[in-house]
C-alpha cells in the first residue's frame, strides 16, 4: 500500500476555520474548536486532502511521509 499516505493536523496551528472540512468532509471533522483528521484516508480522498492542504489558512495540514 505504498500510496496509502498519512495526514496530520497540527493542533497548535489550527484555528478551526473549517475549510478542510468543507473540502474533504470524509477526512476532516471538527471537535472542540480543532480539526480532527482520519489519519489514514482512503486514497480516493487524496485529491480532497491536497485541496485542504492548499486551502488551510494556517498551513496546519500536512502529509506524513
Ligand atoms: S482549514 Fe486548517 S485551520 Fe481550518 S480547521 Fe482545517 S486544519 Fe484547522
Amino acid at each position: 500500500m505504498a500510496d496509502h499516505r498519512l495526514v496530520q493536523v497540527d493542533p497548535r496551528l489550527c484555528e478551526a476555520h473549517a475549510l478542510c472540512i468543507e473540502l474533504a468532509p470524509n477526512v476532516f471533522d471538527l471537535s472542540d474548536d480543532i480539526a480532527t483528521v482520519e489519519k489514514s484516508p482512503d486514497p480516493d480522498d487524496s485529491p480532497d486532502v491536497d485541496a485542504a492542504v492548499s486551502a488551510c489558512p494556517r498551513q496546519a495540514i500536512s502529509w506524513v511521509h
Side-chain angles (χ1 to χ4, degrees), residues 14-25:
C14 175
E15 289 183 340
H17 298 288
L19 287 171
C20 55
I21 296 148
E22 279 179 38
L23 291 165

Side-chain angles (χ1 to χ4, degrees), residues 7 20-21 24-29 36-42 45-46 48-49:
V7 66
C20 55
I21 296 148
N26 289 341
V27 181
F28 297 96
D29 214 333
T36 57
V37 63
E38 164 61 49
K39 286 191 175 60
S40 183
D42 191 305
D45 290 326
S46 287
D48 289 352
V49 176

